[in-house]
Amino acid sequence: MNVPKLRFKEFTDEWNFIELSKISSDISYGMGLPSKEYDGKNKYIRITDIDDSTNAYSNKNIVSPDGKLEDKYLVNNNDILFARTGASTGKAYLYNEKDGKLYFAGFLIRANIINHNSIFIFQQTKLNKYSKWIKIMSMRSGQPGINSQEYGAYKFSVTSKIEEDKIANFLSLLDKKIELQTKKIEDLKLYKKGLNKTIFKNCNNKYQISDIITEYNERTTINNQYEVLSSTANGIYLQSKYFNKQAASEDNTGYKIVPKNFITYRSMSDTGEFHFNIQNLIDYGIVSPAYPVFNIDENLVNKDYFVYYINENNEFKNRILSRKEGGTRYALSISKFKSIYAFLPSREEQNKLAKLLKNYNNKLEIEILKLYKLEQLKKGLMQKMFA
C-alpha cells in the first residue's frame, strides 16, 4: 500500500504518484531579457536570485528586467520555478507574495500548481528522491540541464487536499522556526562586525609574530599514533566525525602532532584566507605535515584573543596577503607567518576582551547547534512524511 511511514492519524487513504504536467495549468519558460538596475517596482528573478540553502528569493541584489514587460512572465501564487540549466539545475522556488512583483528569467521553468497544495508539492523538491532524479536526468554532454517536458514528467506524491493542507501547514511552521533561527544567527554575526571595531580600536603595541610563537615539529613514529584532525574555516574537528569516510592517507606515519591547546592552520589556500584553530578536542591529535603547528608565549599575549585577532583583523589579514608568492594558490609557511607583525592592546585589555569573545562565541555556537537540530529534524520528518 502506497502510504507514508509517518502521517496524521485521521488519514488512512492510499497516496498516488502523478506527473507535474497533470497538476499544473502551465509549464513554461521565462523571458530572455537582460537585467538592469532595480526600478523600484518590477523585480527580476534569475537562478542566482534563489538562495541555495533556503530556496527563498534573495533580495541582496535586486534587479529589474530590461525591456518590454509581458504579464505572462509574472510569477503568481502557486507558481513553482525550477532551474533548468547549469550547476543549479533542479533548484526550486515557490512564489511568496511578500517578494512582490516578480518576472522570471529564461533559465527558469514555471509550473502553476492546480487542485493541490503548492507548498506540499514544493516541499518534495527537498527530498533525496528528487535530488537523485535531478542528478540522473541532468547528466548530459556539456552543460547539465532539464527541459520543461522532462520536468513535466516527474511524478510527485499526492493525497487528499485536506491532508496536503495539514502537512503543508505543519512544514511551514517548521520552516518559520528555521527562518527565525537563521535570522538570529545572522544578527549575532552582524553584532560581531560591530564588536570588531571595539576590539581592534586600541591595538597600539607592536609585536613581531616570531617573538610570540614557538614552532612545534614533533611527528608520529607509527601509523595511527593519534587521531587525525581536520583544521577548517569553521573550526577544528576529529576527521573521523567530520568526514563520512577516511580522507587522510592510509599511512599517517610522519604526521605532525598537535598537543591540546596548541594552534594549527592549513598553509595553502585558493582564496588567500587562512584560518587558525586552537586544538581543544583531545590531548594529542595529528595533522598533515603541510600544516604548521605552534604554541604562543602567554606571558606576552592572551591565546584566545591572539587567535581571534589573526583570524578576524582585516589589516593583519592584508599583511598575510602581501606575503603571497607566484602561482595560483596562496601559501603561508610558518617562516612567512613569523615575519609578520601584529598590533595588540595591553595584556590586561586582551584578558577582558577574551572573556567577552568567549561568551559571544559560546552563544553563537549554541544558536548554530539549535539551527542544525531543527534542520535535521525537518530532514528526518520529510523522509517519513512523504510516500
Side-chain angles (χ1 to χ4, degrees), residues 284-300:
Y284 294 95
I286 58 175
V287 291
S288 163
Y291 285 56
V293 179
F294 62 90
N295 201 5
I296 70 167
D297 184 347
E298 294 194 69
N299 291 317
L300 290 174

Side-chain angles (χ1 to χ4, degrees), residues 170-183:
F170 172 78
L171 292 175
S172 293
L173 288 173
L174 193 51
D175 279 341
K176 186 63 179 178
K177 286 186 176 182
I178 291 172
E179 180 185 341
L180 291 173
Q181 188 61 28
T182 301
K183 178 65 166 57

Side-chain angles (χ1 to χ4, degrees), residues 272-323:
E273 289 284 331
F274 296 90
H275 194 84
F276 299 79
N277 289 304
I278 300 175
Q279 197 283 92
N280 53 10
L281 300 176
I282 49 180
D283 288 338
Y284 294 95
I286 58 175
V287 291
S288 163
Y291 285 56
V293 179
F294 62 90
N295 201 5
I296 70 167
D297 184 347
E298 294 194 69
N299 291 317
L300 290 174
V301 297
N302 181 293
K303 182 178 292 185
D304 291 323
Y305 176 83
F306 178 71
V307 170
Y308 187 87
Y309 172 87
I310 59 180
N311 279 329
E312 302 293 340
N313 187 293
N314 288 329
E315 288 185 9
F316 184 82
K317 290 196 285 187
N318 286 335
R319 287 196 286 275
I320 288 177
L321 286 176
S322 70
R323 266 62 177 180

Side-chain angles (χ1 to χ4, degrees), residues 233-272:
N234 297 314
I236 194 161
Y237 303 92
L238 297 176
Q239 193 178 92
S240 58
K241 294 183 178 179
Y242 188 70
F243 295 99
N244 293 326
K245 59 182 180 180
Q246 181 175 320
S249 170
E250 290 184 6
D251 184 1
N252 50 53
T253 304
Y255 269 42
K256 286 187 179 178
I257 298 172
V258 191
K260 193 169 188 178
N261 293 323
F262 279 49
I263 302 165
T264 188
Y265 68 95
R266 186 177 182 180
S267 62
M268 298 295 294
S269 168
D270 293 323
T271 63

Side-chain angles (χ1 to χ4, degrees), residues 108-148:
L108 293 169
I109 292 172
R110 174 178 60 193
N112 177 255
I113 306 302
I114 55 172
N115 302 323
H116 291 275
N117 188 295
S118 56
I119 297 174
F120 177 83
I121 299 300
F122 170 72
Q123 291 286 357
Q124 294 179 58
T125 66
K126 301 179 182 181
L127 293 172
N128 291 335
K129 171 189 169 185
Y130 175 80
S131 299
K132 289 177 182 177
W133 178 80
I134 290 294
K135 186 175 182 179
I136 292 170
M137 286 300 297
S138 63
M139 282 183 180
R140 299 175 175 178
S141 59
Q143 186 88 329
I146 298 177
N147 62 39
S148 60

